[in-house]
Amino acid sequence: MGPLAYAEYLPEDEPLLAARANAADLGGTEPVPPAVGATLRFLACAVGARTTVEIGTGCGSSGIWLLRGMRPGSTLTSVDTEPEYQRVARKAFTQAGFAQNQARLILGRALDVLPRLSDGAYDMVFCDADQGSYPEYLTAGVRLLRAGGVIVFDDASPADVASADGSGAGGARGPGGASGAAAGIAAAAGVRELAEMVRIDERLVPLRLAVAGGLIAAIKR
């Protein structure tokens, strides 16, 4: 099923469309497509998620999908370096009907913030950030997960990343200071290393999904 057909099968409603419009107005971030959002909602529901960490808040689109799959009264902890993204994400969560205490938005670099979160306290981790840092995010994310929890990485197809003209698939941002081809090389290398780390880690049950720009997921044993 192609992206357009999937958008018809599970169309975005008004809060998701508003989040997408906000992202277009602000620039620099691209919401997850409906196929990825539906996958996140499905996985959050499947593991009965009550606590989820999101690396890369964006404008709130993926957070809405996650919260819709999580149990009632659950909490999403979302980390981003851009205060304006988090401002519009907070508005998007409210428009989608979630209470303010269901989204804990933390401003800062994920690699600085994640060590402050509790080990084994989270049911799900979703990462949609700079792909060059995906290996570090995996290490941090697995530490946060409980046994049976799931970690998911967006835009994780090396071929798609390498062909994205240096920007990374799906609008993911490259490492600070890198640009153009250098960012694309770093992103592709990060995705390849992530894929191998997930594959050989005996603590994880890995899965690759051909959804949009590719998803890599794993369950912690």
Side-chain angles (χ1 to χ4, degrees):
M1 183 179 291
L4 292 178
Y6 211 103
E8 294 174 357
Y9 178 63
L10 286 173
E12 294 177 317
D13 59 7
E14 187 57 37
L16 287 167
L17 290 172
R20 185 171 294 279
N22 288 335
D25 289 341
L26 284 176
T29 183
E30 184 174 339
V32 296
V36 172
T39 302
L40 295 176
R41 182 180 62 178
F42 178 90
L43 291 172
C45 185
V47 300
R50 295 182 182 276
T51 53
T52 294
V53 174
E54 179 182 44
I55 303 170
T57 307
C59 289
S61 179
S62 53
I64 291 173
W65 283 107
L66 287 164
L67 283 164
R68 286 177 173 175
M70 295 167 68
R71 291 181 178 273
S74 298
T75 301
L76 172 70
T77 299
S78 189
V79 183
D80 205 295
T81 58
E82 298 292 337
E84 190 65 9
Y85 291 166
Q86 293 199 330
R87 183 187 68 80
V88 297
R90 174 71 71 189
K91 181 179 179 181
F93 297 150
T94 300
Q95 289 177 335
F98 297 107
Q100 186 162 341
N101 63 1
Q102 287 187 260
R104 179 172 61 154
L105 304 183
I106 301 177
L107 184 65
R109 292 179 66 253
L111 294 177
D112 295 331
V113 173
L114 298 179
R116 305 202 301 263
L117 304 182
S118 299
D119 293 6
Y122 296 88
D123 304 304
M124 185 170 180
V125 175
F126 172 58
C127 184
D128 185 12
D130 57 295
Q131 294 141 308
S133 296
Y134 273 9
E136 290 86 353
Y137 295 148
L138 174 67
T139 299
V142 170
R143 178 185 62 80
L144 298 177
L145 285 178
R146 63 164 172 84
V150 62
I151 186 166
V152 186
F153 291 83
D154 192 24
D155 290 325
S157 169
D160 288 348
V161 173
S163 64
D165 195 28
S167 62
R173 296 173 294 279
S179 62
I185 291 170
V191 168
R192 285 193 296 268
E193 184 177 351
L194 165 73
E196 182 64 10
M197 289 173 66
V198 171
R199 186 184 69 83
I200 66 175
D201 193 327
E202 294 183 354
R203 299 171 298 171
L204 303 176
V205 180
L207 178 66
R208 299 194 76 159
L209 294 170
V211 177
L215 297 175
I216 289 179
I219 295 173
K220 183 176 181 180
R221 295 181 188 273

